[in-house]
Amino acid sequence: MADDATFDLTLERIALIRRMAVAWNPAGCGAPILNPQAPYGSLDRAEDISNVTGDDEGTDEEHRALGEALAVFVANAALKPGRYAYHNPLAKLPPEEMLDLFRDEETGASPEHVTFDVSAEHLALLRHLAVRWDAENDVPAIDTARPYGGSGDLYAEMRRHLGSDAASDHLAELHREMQPALQNLLRHADIAPGPFARRVG
């Protein structure tokens, strides 16, 4: 049982995390965000949640708890570097609602399937993503001002977490790849339910 210092990551919350549709928020430094129109893959958020929890009444409360659940998940879930594939949950949305880095600007379409190589660098950065609640969009999101926490100097924080002096061009590419990297983490990483220390900051 969770107490004030811990968060209860249940099987139902893990199942909802697996269904999350990761989009890209272009504000600030740019950062991943759950698609505001379809955070769990369809345009009916309440039904998506109740289909997992079996509770039609508590969907708003459970949705709000998924912000902290996401923070716990990215800090504790385990994934090995490698090539992963996922069905793109944004592909079926209207183009103006996709917020997808893979969207073709000419056709407006996004690929239905995405294959992506998750590197050790991606994984090191994912663990430090600063998950926040985006009140305007009413979804969990990564802080666009300080995506990896700390000082707010994007590349300095990335270098600190990577333990390297990587070039800015390489860091810029890594940062933009956080959308597919995070989507793969949510789909494929291992984690067991239970109480976890709440993330601070």
Side-chain angles (χ1 to χ4, degrees):
M1 178 179 296
D3 55 32
D4 289 344
T6 60
F7 177 83
D8 191 9
L9 187 65
T10 64
L11 281 172
E12 290 81 7
R13 287 169 179 166
I14 293 172
L16 285 165
I17 286 171
R18 302 289 188 204
R19 290 163 171 76
M20 286 179 171
V22 180
W24 185 258
N25 184 352
C29 299
I33 184 174
L34 292 201
N35 185 280
Q37 302 302 318
Y40 307 104
S42 87
L43 297 175
D44 191 334
R45 187 184 81 188
E47 183 176 353
D48 286 343
I49 294 173
S50 64
N51 283 342
V52 172
T53 64
D55 180 6
D56 294 331
E57 302 298 324
T59 58
D60 287 343
E61 180 181 354
E62 191 62 21
H63 173 60
R64 190 65 177 81
L66 263 293
E68 194 160 7
L70 179 60
V72 165
F73 189 98
V74 299
N76 294 281
L79 186 70
K80 293 181 179 180
R83 176 165 292 184
Y84 296 91
Y86 62 88
H87 177 77
N88 186 3
L90 305 177
K92 58 188 176 184
L93 299 177
E96 66 274 11
E97 296 177 350
M98 284 180 182
L99 302 175
D100 188 5
L101 287 178
F102 292 101
R103 177 187 173 197
D104 187 304
E105 293 297 333
E106 292 185 4
T107 66
S110 284
E112 291 188 6
H113 298 277
V114 175
T115 299
F116 181 76
D117 291 323
V118 179
S119 69
E121 288 181 309
H122 292 124
L123 294 171
L125 293 172
L126 285 166
R127 190 169 294 278
H128 294 282
L129 285 175
V131 180
R132 301 288 183 267
W133 188 263
D134 186 321
E136 180 179 353
N137 291 297
D138 196 29
V139 291
I142 307 307
D143 190 336
T144 57
R146 301 185 307 131
Y148 307 100
S151 65
D153 183 326
L154 178 65
Y155 295 155
E157 291 304 318
M158 293 178 74
R159 291 186 179 105
R160 182 167 70 88
H161 295 315
L162 293 171
S164 76
D165 293 322
S168 296
D169 287 350
H170 178 60
L171 295 175
E173 182 178 4
L174 276 176
H175 180 59
R176 286 182 63 80
E177 291 173 345
M178 283 297 106
Q179 179 192 342
L182 179 57
Q183 188 71 76
N184 274 305
L185 184 80
L186 303 188
R187 292 292 177 86
H188 300 296
D190 293 325
I191 194 168
F196 289 85
R198 294 181 184 273
R199 293 191 68 179
V200 177

